[in-house]
Amino acid sequence: MQKRFTNGKTGLIPLEVSGLSYHADDRPLLDALDVRISSADRTVIMGPNGAGKSLFLRIIHGLIAPGAGDVRWGGRAMSDDVRRRQAMVFQRPVLLRRSVAGNMDFALSLRGAIDEEKRDALIERVGLGNARDQPARTLSGGEQQRLALARALALEPEVLMLDEPTANLDPASVLMIEEIVNEAHHAGAKIIFVTHDLSQARRLGDEIIFMHRGKILEQTQGDVFFKAPQSQAARDFIEGRIVT
Amino acid sequence: MQDFGNALELAIRLVASGDSDLMEIIALSLRVSLTALLVSAILGFSIGALVATSTFKGRGAIKILLSALMGLPPVVVGLIVYIFLSNAGPLGWTQLLYTPTAMIIAQTLLITPIIGALSTQVIEDIYLEYKDFFTSLAMSRRAVAGALLWDGRYSLLTVALAGFGRAIAEVGAIIIVGGNINHLTRVMTTAIALETSKGDLALAMALGLILIVVSLAINASVIALNLTAKRYAYA
Ligand SMILES: Nc1ncnc2c1ncn2[C@@H]1O[C@H](COP(=O)(O)OP(=O)(O)OP(=O)(O)O)[C@@H](O)[C@H]1O
Ligand SMILES: [Mg+2]
């Protein structure tokens, strides 16, 4: 029933992480993680605040060097070339001091010529058609997140990483974003999606990775995870109890 | 000595009549300071972009040095340029002493550290915010610098205006290397200094009025730029 891309269109799969640690002042923020993401399905990363989800994403995308351990995409170490085939939507959108269209053009120009038709279609797709010439930083929080997604899609990434991209959105926009993410997935992009939202994780999580206190406690198929979480922390999380 | 009211009246008449000596002095002032600004902006913005986006060891030292040089007394800058350009100096052969070029050099030395230090700060702040995004895009150093300069455009313009304000109002450096020679190196500030000491207050006050207008215009532009930047959330 699940889509199988047999390791996808992308040569960047599997992602293999071994012995990944990151410390700040001797406090382990990520603690000897070993994980392998081998399918091109949608991987959802869940876990309570401060679990290390954003940090994990930033390290596998090569934004921060790990303290120890190894990250390999399709057998390759991170490089500019590998990173150019990925895109990340940050938890706090980083928008340039330019118009909505200017932000899109910036991304497009880095990957070749600016295709205005494609740009406008993407802006339209995220519901910002009326704001094309508006200064991006005057957009509302949710609009900013949608622009950040459109801009990431303009890069046509083989791996699309999203760090809580719907945290500030109204329900309709949440569905819009999920639809767009699914379209990107159908077009062949590997999706790695961080969320706190249980129902969203149910909808998107072909595979669930559950993190807690810098450790990966579970990596299971989505349907299995919600029926039979293996760790107490995941059970608490799913049932809405405070995770200790 | 003329009394104040008299001098002011004469000054206003001079300005209104477009007195040719007066215009010549204003034109040279603008030429010298705008040229110095252009060179300093190119140097200062480049230094700013380079220092703000680098991680090399001497980075902190350069920042401290730039800040320290920001407060250089103009007369000291004038003295140093004088020593280099005087006949006995290492650059004496250029015969540049007492020319507008010497004045441009002095003002460039004076304001490049200001523009460099302030733009480093501006660009650093923006870079901090954009860094992850730019790294994610695997951009080249050149593209990063270009994007930062463009996104800092409003703040950098105010930095340039601050540099220009300092140059146009400065007297200590250019009087030493320019010599305040009539029709050759006489600019607004040096003329004011000279005419005042000679007791000819009318011309001095006319030039003083112009300088005040220039300084008001600079400040008004800074305020306008800041307001625009805020309105567009580009600050
Ligand atoms: N550079 C850093 N220096 C010190 N501590 C850090 C650093 N980066 C992250 N941390 C800490 O690491 C922990 C994990 O942070 P991270 O942002 O990955 O959490 P998260 O799982 O994404 O949480 P949230 O759901 O709130 O976004 C937090 O306790 C955070 O304070
Ligand atoms: Mg996070």
Side-chain angles (χ1 to χ4, degrees), chain A residues 15-55:
Chain A
L15 162 67
E16 293 157 305
V17 174
S18 52
L20 180 72
S21 293
Y22 190 88
H23 293 249
D25 315 321
D26 289 340
R27 195 161 62 98
L29 300 179
L30 293 179
D31 195 6
L33 300 188
D34 291 301
V35 61
R36 182 185 161 90
I37 297 181
S38 49
S39 85
D41 293 335
R42 299 162 303 176
T43 298
V44 165
I45 301 179
M46 305 189 76
N49 291 134
K53 306 179 296 294
S54 296
L55 193 56

Side-chain angles (χ1 to χ4, degrees), chain B:
Chain B
M1 195 176 135
Q2 305 138 317
D3 67 76
F4 181 81
N6 236 334
L8 186 63
E9 196 192 316
L10 253 165
I12 293 172
R13 203 169 297 154
L14 267 178
V15 176
S17 70
D19 177 79
S20 71
D21 276 2
L22 182 73
M23 290 304 141
E24 191 185 336
I25 293 173
I26 296 170
L28 183 65
S29 277
L30 291 177
R31 197 185 113 205
V32 167
S33 294
L34 284 174
T35 312
L37 172 66
L38 184 72
V39 179
S40 301
I42 293 171
L43 290 174
F45 291 166
S46 309
I47 294 172
L50 199 71
V51 175
T53 58
S54 316
T55 48
F56 64 90
K57 262 233 174 79
R59 210 177 148 268
I62 291 185
K63 281 171 67 181
I64 293 171
L65 184 72
L66 281 175
S67 309
L69 291 179
M70 270 176 83
L72 268 185
V75 281
V76 175
V77 173
L79 178 63
I80 294 168
V81 175
Y82 179 89
I83 291 170
F84 272 81
L85 295 183
S86 66
N87 273 328
L91 297 175
W93 56 271
T94 57
Q95 295 290 313
L96 283 176
L97 198 60
Y98 303 131
T99 64
T101 308
M103 299 156 78
I104 292 170
I105 293 173
Q107 291 200 337
T108 301
L109 288 178
L110 192 68
I111 63 174
T112 297
I114 298 175
I115 296 184
L118 295 179
S119 59
T120 302
Q121 197 53 57
V122 165
I123 296 171
E124 224 170 37
D125 288 348
I126 299 180
Y127 188 47
L128 197 68
E129 192 188 322
Y130 289 178
K131 194 168 186 217
D132 277 349
F133 176 50
F134 285 178
T135 311
S136 168
L137 292 167
M139 287 165 66
S140 69
R141 273 294 295 277
R142 178 181 288 268
V144 168
L148 289 172
L149 288 171
W150 177 249
D151 273 41
R153 58 200 178 277
Y154 285 93
S155 309
L156 292 176
L157 260 175
T158 64
V159 167
L161 283 171
F164 180 69
R166 170 119 161 136
I168 195 86
E170 169 282 322
V171 60
I174 40 172
I175 206 162
I176 295 179
V177 302
N180 190 37
I181 304 165
N182 204 2
H183 300 305
L184 187 62
T185 58
R186 180 163 299 174
V187 293
M188 290 195 275
T189 53
T190 60
I192 290 176
L194 180 86
E195 301 303 323
T196 306
S197 69
K198 282 199 326 203
D200 177 6
L201 290 188
L203 181 60
M205 281 182 75
L207 290 165
L209 285 177
I210 305 278
L211 269 181
I212 290 174
V213 169
V214 168
S215 131
L216 286 178
I218 291 175
N219 283 301
S221 314
V222 168
I223 292 171
L225 276 170
N226 283 337
L227 285 179
T228 315
K230 280 223 178 67
R231 182 150 49 89
Y232 293 153
Y234 288 162

